[in-house]
Amino acid sequence: MKKAHILLIYTGGTIGMAKDFQTGTLKAFHFEKITERLPELSFLDCEIDTISFSQPIDSSDMNPILWTEIATIIQDNYNAFDGFVILHGSDTMSYSASALSFMLENLSKPVIFTGSQLPIGDLRTDARENLITSIQLASLKENKQAIIQEVCLYFEYKLYRANRTTKIDAENFQAFASMNYPTLAESGVHLKINREYLFRRKNNVPLSVFNQLDTNVAIIKIFPGISEKILNGFLSINGLKAVVLETYGSGNAPTGKWFLDTLSDAIKRGLHIVNVTQCAGGTVMPGIYDAGSYFDKIGIINGKDITTEAAISKLMFLLGKNINAKELKIRFETPICGEISKKSL
Ligand code: ASP
């Protein structure tokens, strides 16, 4: 059988950082050093090619232009490789991986994001396991077809659907969680693939990359004490087209008339507002409480159980499609690549 051919794309992040002894801070170093530091890569039963950002970055500097760069690398190499592993800083990994899940339309090969909490050169590093298992998962095939056919995130023995993840911990090796969707695979003595949860497309259409993301978006987290002046100020920002509104619990928000009127006026002016919960897990359920029941009536989009990371990138993606408000609401509330559940329970 032909060995799997994997493309390793290095964007930066702790995995490839080393201490700058002058300042004491961690700085990204060049990719060749990663492969030097991980000779085990040559023992894997697959061929690995590597490609690196010319300037590796801390993922705090990640942005939609760089997402397009990653997507273009995948597009240009799509036919020549069986799978793609993207080394990325953990801080914004869930945002990038969610965005790529929308941008890589009709993906049918594995794209696995990974990184680490400790640099690859550190004795106690988590980079070795994260990288090696990601490559093994990206190599899995059955009847000449990739077993994983979606954008995933692998960290600390778990493979997740990327657009369901959130970074939850800056200290523990278990840095990510997928609260509203089960893990796709677990690494123990054996690699256990939870096949029933893998994403499968119904059609067999070639990959296309959508990179017209519209970044006129914002995230607003409500809090007890939020005032009309502040909320209205945000919603009136010149050029703003869409907002992810992080509400409480199962999608609840203040019931004062000013609050409802401010949102309603903004929607009438053409702003798209998506209701997501501030809670790490669970779903928006409009209508359970009085606070929140009016959202549907004024045209707020129901974000159901989507993460904030997936919601903001889905908004950039749908705004870029230049569709009308009604269509955008329908498409937002409908899963594209498993990022949102079909029903809100
Ligand atoms: N600051 C780093 C980054 O996101 C953290 C990490 O890689 O874990 O690039």
Side-chain angles (χ1 to χ4, degrees):
M1 247 210 0
K2 228 176 107 230
K3 282 187 177 180
H5 200 179
I6 303 300
L7 184 61
L8 202 54
I9 304 168
Y10 175 55
T11 69
T14 299
I15 195 164
M17 287 187 181
K19 206 171 233 159
D20 176 329
F21 287 102
Q22 268 164 3
T23 62
T25 56
L26 288 175
K27 278 196 175 154
F29 62 68
H30 282 280
F31 189 68
E32 310 75 62
K33 303 239 172 88
I34 288 196
T35 32
E36 256 171 45
R37 278 170 205 228
L38 208 55
E40 297 94 317
L41 287 182
S42 59
F43 303 143
L44 286 169
D45 193 24
C46 57
E47 277 177 52
I48 303 169
D49 279 6
T50 58
I51 197 163
S52 170
F53 273 13
S54 50
Q55 208 55 59
I57 54 161
D58 185 297
S59 77
S60 323
D61 283 323
M62 195 41 84
N63 61 48
I65 296 172
L66 296 174
W67 292 342
T68 300
E69 201 174 309
I70 301 172
T72 307
I73 294 173
I74 293 172
Q75 183 175 41
D76 292 347
N77 293 283
Y78 196 66
N79 293 332
F81 289 87
D82 299 295
F84 302 85
V85 173
I86 302 171
L87 296 178
H88 190 291
S90 62
D91 288 348
T92 61
M93 194 186 290
S94 292
Y95 290 92
S96 299
S98 296
L100 265 289
S101 76
F102 302 119
M103 295 166 77
L104 299 171
E105 295 185 281
N106 308 311
L107 181 73
S108 61
K109 292 185 179 182
V111 171
I112 302 182
F113 279 74
T114 194
S116 63
Q117 293 280 58
L118 284 174
I120 207 154
D122 194 290
L123 271 183
R124 294 174 48 252
T125 190
D126 50 333
R128 186 170 286 110
E129 203 282 322
N130 286 348
L131 176 52
I132 288 176
T133 307
S134 295
I135 295 172
Q136 287 184 326
L137 286 164
S139 306
L140 294 176
K141 278 185 153 196
E142 188 178 63
N143 303 328
K144 297 193 180 146
Q145 293 266 321
I147 292 184
I148 294 155
Q149 306 186 359
E150 60 185 296
V151 181
C152 299
L153 188 156
Y154 182 80
F155 227 86
E156 191 62 2
Y157 304 107
K158 291 197 174 106
L159 183 76
Y160 307 100
R161 172 164 300 155
N163 54 33
R164 292 294 194 147
T165 61
T166 300
K167 184 171 178 182
I168 48 143
D169 206 315
E171 163 69 21
N172 285 301
F173 287 142
Q174 173 118 27
F176 289 88
S178 166
M179 297 293 290
N180 287 336
Y181 198 76
T183 48
L184 303 181
E186 279 139 59
S187 166
V189 173
H190 298 102
L191 282 181
K192 182 171 171 280
I193 314 290
N194 301 323
R195 285 176 183 254
E196 66 275 34
Y197 300 124
L198 296 177
F199 185 76
R200 284 290 175 267
R201 249 164 247 288
K202 289 186 193 81
N203 54 12
N204 196 6
V205 180
L207 175 86
S208 66
V209 169
F210 183 81
N211 55 23
Q212 304 302 309
L213 301 183
D214 188 330
T215 55
N216 289 301
V217 294
I219 299 170
I220 301 177
K221 182 172 185 158
I222 63 163
F223 55 91
I226 190 166
S227 68
E228 182 172 359
K229 190 176 87 185
I230 297 288
L231 184 64
N232 197 27
F234 267 124
L235 298 181
S236 309
I237 291 171
N238 195 13
L240 185 66
K241 294 185 186 161
V243 161
V244 174
L245 186 70
E246 283 197 357
T247 58
Y248 308 126
S250 46
N252 310 312
T255 53
K257 186 172 177 314
W258 71 265
F259 188 81
L260 183 58
D261 287 349
T262 307
L263 297 182
S264 177
D265 289 349
I267 292 170
K268 283 188 198 135
R269 291 197 305 269
L271 198 78
H272 309 276
I273 302 180
V274 179
N275 183 11
V276 304
T277 173
Q278 296 179 9
C279 295
T283 184
V284 165
M285 288 191 277
I288 290 249
Y289 297 95
D290 203 21
S293 61
Y294 47 75
F295 273 12
D296 209 31
K297 293 187 199 105
I298 61 169
I300 290 202
I301 300 168
N302 183 353
K304 303 181 193 175
D305 61 352
I306 199 168
T307 61
T308 295
E309 293 87 336
I312 196 77
S313 50
K314 189 170 181 178
L315 276 180
M316 291 185 199
F317 172 80
L318 290 177
L319 285 173
K321 295 266 178 191
N322 273 322
I323 46 182
N324 65 36
K326 197 168 156 219
E327 174 82 12
L328 192 141
K329 184 172 189 303
I330 293 170
R331 286 177 70 174
F332 196 97
E333 292 174 354
T334 311
I336 295 176
C337 44
E339 75 285 359
I340 192 170
S341 297
K342 286 203 178 81
K343 293 193 190 122
S344 60
L345 298 180

